[in-house]
Amino acid sequence: MRSRLPLDEEGDHGQASGGRGSWRQWPGLRQVLSGGGAAAHLLREERGHRGAVEVHLILHEFEQEHVEEGRASLYKSVVSNSSKEMSCYSDFPFPEDYPNYVPNSHFLQYLKMYANQFNLLECIQFKTTVCSVTKRPDFAVSGQWEVVTLHEGKQSSATFDAVMVCTGYLTTPYLPLDSFPGIHTFKGQYFHSRQYKYPDMFKDKRVLVVGMGNSGTDIAVEASHLAKKVFLSTTGGAWVMSRVSDSGNPWDMVFTTRFQNMFRNALPTPIVSWLLARKMNSWFDHVNYGLAPDDRVQLKEPVINDDLPGCIITGKVQIKPSIKEVKENSVLFSNTPKEEPVDIIVFATGYTFAFPFLDESVVKVEGGQASLYKYVFPAHLQKPTLAVIGLIKPFGSMIPTGEVQARWVVQVLKGLHTLPPPSFRIEEVEERKQNKPSGFGLHYCKALQSDYIEYIDELLTYINAKPNLFSLLLTDPRLALAIFFGPCSPYQFRLTGPGKWQGARNTILTQWDRTLKATKTRTVRESPSSFESLFKLISFLAFLVAIFLIFL
């Protein structure tokens, strides 16, 4: 999808809240954005420049009834794993009457509202394929790119000053059939989870789901309502957590706070891993359910599913080890002599990613990662005019992560932030690839995984948008405490710096009100308790002592 738009000298950022962004003019800037959600933000941010913007943006992926090559795919029942207050654009909250965890239909509506609010639809032409992105012959001087696109059967070429690749990592299914001996003799049906849409196909069937990620567990749970029998096969196990955390609050609003993050990162990794295991097992004992991860030091992305334990305890889903052999109408699992009859196999084995429109000399993918400085800029490019947005797996929401990446890219393109030389960037990438444990905090098992708050804060520092807690403690202590002890919600990223949003402070201070409104749909009178009042007083005094110890 592609469009060109002559841009005004001044951006329309913040009009929803009564403000306007101020941007330095950059005559003649032309920029192509290839991909989805983050591209929308980049387009809006760049409207402050003169020139034209060319966009490859798909806003209707959620409406797909059929799987299309090269595009992400969702099944009908998908619900977000991060809450609305933690996964919105930083200056555009979800409507307060939306549920805390948003169904994909609501999410689509939110994207449409976002696009309409900032007049993005007039700038977008859909159904355009990016065929190739290559350096211009004078790239060493100009940093420009030649982009070939295909729209309605017609191929065209254009030159651009900058390219943003926002295609993500959920479009190319990873299906290692060679790892499953006998699969080609199987007479039943098998497919990758990307092909799954509705559970009707599982009615009265014996179903095996291979892979225990979020998709695999979702499909296993859905299949259990209709299937005769459901097996969920996992090689290494995983922690399973609920969207509902302490006191019924969204898990990420409790877990993702600056205070907790600082506390975790100050502790040795074995202690943090023990505390995490203790927390995960407070819901149910993962060992007794056959789910506990084999490696409990390196953190694998937890599975978020509210129903899996209930399906296991009622016998609707059986957890099995890895597959030893697939036969014509059955499967033999490792360390189990009994063959299990199976009609359908769903391979929820994840995704790989590639950039077929880019030459390997620009971005090379190997070992499940690309050589990108801070997960964004190709480390070796002399001219930082190509950026990759969203190729990271933070322990947090992707939308605010991609948005902050986009804001940083804008500042680099405008010349307001200078990247270190290629030699330094390459060294940083190689060090990250080694994934050496620091000995403190969480240790992630995959290269694309990252500490959400640390990563976001690093990029915010580059664009002078990281909130200064010490300064706020003196000038606005209520806000400072909400930022430090409360959820690290995206609104914090708009308190200062370029793109500052005047509504950020009030939105932070009212985020719990919006969270409760979504669930408290029946008013219940709370009975007063003298003990509870005394406990709150003691807790408040302890809170003041903690503040004193931390900041003084």
Side-chain angles (χ1 to χ4, degrees), residues 268-549:
T269 299
I271 295 179
V272 176
S273 300
W274 177 79
L275 290 172
L276 180 65
R278 184 180 174 87
K279 179 65 177 176
M280 294 295 181
N281 285 322
S282 66
W283 187 22
F284 67 94
D285 192 317
H286 283 63
V287 172
N288 292 341
Y289 280 61
L291 295 172
D294 295 338
D295 187 344
R296 303 175 201 180
V297 175
Q298 293 192 94
L299 180 64
K300 178 184 175 183
E301 183 181 3
V303 172
I304 299 177
N305 193 291
D306 304 305
D307 304 313
L308 182 62
C311 289
I312 295 174
I313 202 170
T314 56
K316 293 181 178 180
V317 174
Q318 293 185 25
I319 304 301
K320 292 290 184 178
S322 59
I323 295 174
K324 182 179 180 180
E325 185 181 359
V326 180
K327 299 191 176 182
E328 288 186 355
N329 298 296
S330 62
V331 169
L332 183 64
F333 296 99
S334 301
N335 304 319
T336 54
K338 180 184 176 183
E339 291 184 20
E340 297 287 357
V342 170
D343 301 307
I344 299 175
I345 303 177
V346 182
F347 289 100
T349 45
Y351 293 82
T352 184
F353 62 90
F355 306 106
F357 48 85
L358 286 173
D359 189 82
E360 279 196 356
S361 63
V362 178
V363 179
K364 186 176 182 179
V365 178
E366 55 184 358
Q369 56 185 315
S371 297
L372 300 173
Y373 176 64
K374 303 302 180 185
Y375 300 97
V376 176
F377 289 99
H380 63 284
L381 281 185
Q382 290 289 343
K383 297 285 186 179
T385 55
L386 183 140
V388 178
I389 306 297
L391 194 60
I392 184 174
K393 295 181 179 180
F395 202 7
S397 176
M398 270 306 305
I399 280 192
T401 304
E403 182 188 10
V404 172
Q405 288 180 327
R407 293 172 66 190
W408 178 40
V409 170
V410 168
Q411 297 301 300
V412 171
L413 293 177
K414 292 175 66 180
L416 298 179
H417 178 77
T418 304
L419 298 183
S423 58
F424 181 90
R425 303 199 300 259
I426 293 172
E427 183 180 346
E428 192 266 354
V429 168
E430 293 303 318
E431 183 179 346
R432 188 186 73 224
K433 285 181 179 179
Q434 295 175 16
N435 198 26
K436 291 182 178 179
S438 66
F440 292 88
L442 295 170
H443 177 48
Y444 300 94
C445 68
K446 295 182 180 178
L448 288 181
Q449 290 180 303
S450 176
D451 184 301
Y452 175 73
I453 293 179
E454 279 196 349
Y455 179 71
I456 291 286
D457 275 353
E458 184 177 18
L459 298 192
L460 290 176
T461 301
Y462 295 155
I463 63 174
N464 297 315
K466 180 183 175 182
N468 188 322
L469 285 176
F470 292 102
S471 176
L472 284 173
L473 189 62
L474 298 175
T475 59
D476 195 342
R478 182 188 175 194
L479 179 61
L481 296 178
I483 291 174
F484 187 68
F485 290 101
C488 187
S489 49
Y491 322 119
Q492 296 185 15
F493 315 152
R494 291 285 182 175
L495 285 168
T496 187
K500 177 181 177 180
W501 177 40
Q502 295 300 322
R505 180 185 185 276
N506 182 64
T507 309
I508 292 171
L509 297 178
T510 56
Q511 57 194 352
W512 282 111
D513 296 334
R514 291 187 299 278
T515 301
L516 292 176
K517 183 171 183 178
T519 58
K520 204 171 182 179
T521 54
R522 171 177 172 259
T523 303
V524 179
R525 188 177 65 179
E526 297 182 16
S527 58
S529 170
S530 57
F531 174 78
E532 182 179 352
S533 301
L534 178 62
F535 180 75
K536 286 182 178 180
L537 176 61
I538 295 173
S539 299
F540 179 70
L541 293 175
F543 175 73
L544 293 179
V545 172
I547 295 295
F548 178 81
L549 293 176

Side-chain angles (χ1 to χ4, degrees), residues 14-317:
Q15 286 186 2
S17 56
R20 290 182 67 87
S22 176
W23 295 90
R24 190 181 66 180
Q25 297 177 17
W26 188 354
L29 174 70
R30 303 184 71 215
Q31 174 175 303
V32 61
L33 312 178
S34 173
H41 177 77
L42 274 171
L43 172 62
R44 189 194 62 178
E45 293 283 6
E46 280 306 291
R47 291 196 65 176
H49 299 306
R50 285 184 175 180
V53 176
E54 192 140 333
V55 183
H56 180 82
L57 178 61
I58 300 175
L59 290 179
H60 60 284
E61 285 182 345
F62 297 109
E63 293 180 329
Q64 294 180 87
E65 289 296 325
H66 306 287
V67 179
E68 296 180 28
E69 191 68 28
R71 291 179 62 184
S73 176
L74 293 177
Y75 39 96
K76 181 71 173 179
S77 60
V78 166
V79 176
S80 65
N81 285 337
S82 55
S83 62
K84 66 177 183 180
E85 296 297 324
M86 302 294 284
S87 56
C88 61
Y89 287 107
S90 57
D91 56 354
F92 195 74
F94 279 92
E96 61 179 15
D97 60 343
Y98 270 35
N100 285 311
Y101 290 98
V102 184
N104 66 74
S105 58
H106 286 61
F107 209 102
L108 171 62
Q109 191 60 38
Y110 171 75
L111 291 180
K112 288 180 176 179
M113 288 188 291
Y114 181 84
N116 288 328
Q117 179 66 47
F118 298 104
N119 301 316
L120 298 182
L121 294 179
E122 67 185 33
C123 315
I124 301 169
Q125 180 176 309
F126 295 93
K127 299 179 181 178
T128 297
T129 300
V130 176
C131 302
S132 66
V133 178
T134 55
K135 295 178 182 177
R136 293 275 296 167
D138 62 346
F139 179 83
V141 177
S142 67
Q144 291 181 329
W145 300 86
E146 193 73 20
V147 179
V148 177
T149 57
L150 181 66
H151 176 64
E152 295 180 348
K154 182 180 179 182
Q155 194 172 88
S156 59
S157 177
T159 300
F160 293 90
D161 298 291
V163 175
M164 279 72 166
V165 180
C166 317
T167 50
Y169 51 82
L170 297 176
T171 57
T172 306
Y174 176 62
L175 187 56
L177 293 179
D178 293 340
S179 301
F180 303 95
I183 185 63
H184 296 296
T185 66
F186 184 61
K187 291 185 176 180
Q189 182 181 5
Y190 66 87
F191 55 90
H192 190 273
S193 58
R194 183 172 179 269
Q195 304 293 322
Y196 172 72
K197 291 293 182 180
Y198 303 98
D200 308 50
M201 61 185 302
F202 299 134
K203 185 174 177 59
D204 299 327
K205 301 291 186 180
R206 292 164 296 194
V207 180
L208 167 61
V209 180
V210 181
M212 200 181 153
N214 286 305
S215 295
T217 52
D218 280 353
I219 294 171
V221 168
E222 286 198 0
S224 71
H225 300 307
L226 295 173
K228 183 182 297 184
K229 206 167 191 179
V230 177
F231 302 105
L232 179 58
S233 170
T234 174
T235 301
W239 295 121
V240 178
M241 57 188 293
S242 173
R243 293 177 176 85
V244 184
S245 186
D246 301 343
S247 301
N249 294 316
W251 78 268
D252 48 355
M253 295 185 73
V254 175
F255 182 87
T256 312
T257 73
R258 293 181 181 276
F259 170 71
Q260 288 210 39
N261 205 64
M262 184 188 73
F263 179 72
R264 282 191 295 268
N265 291 340
L267 294 176
T269 299
I271 295 179
V272 176
S273 300
W274 177 79
L275 290 172
L276 180 65
R278 184 180 174 87
K279 179 65 177 176
M280 294 295 181
N281 285 322
S282 66
W283 187 22
F284 67 94
D285 192 317
H286 283 63
V287 172
N288 292 341
Y289 280 61
L291 295 172
D294 295 338
D295 187 344
R296 303 175 201 180
V297 175
Q298 293 192 94
L299 180 64
K300 178 184 175 183
E301 183 181 3
V303 172
I304 299 177
N305 193 291
D306 304 305
D307 304 313
L308 182 62
C311 289
I312 295 174
I313 202 170
T314 56
K316 293 181 178 180
V317 174

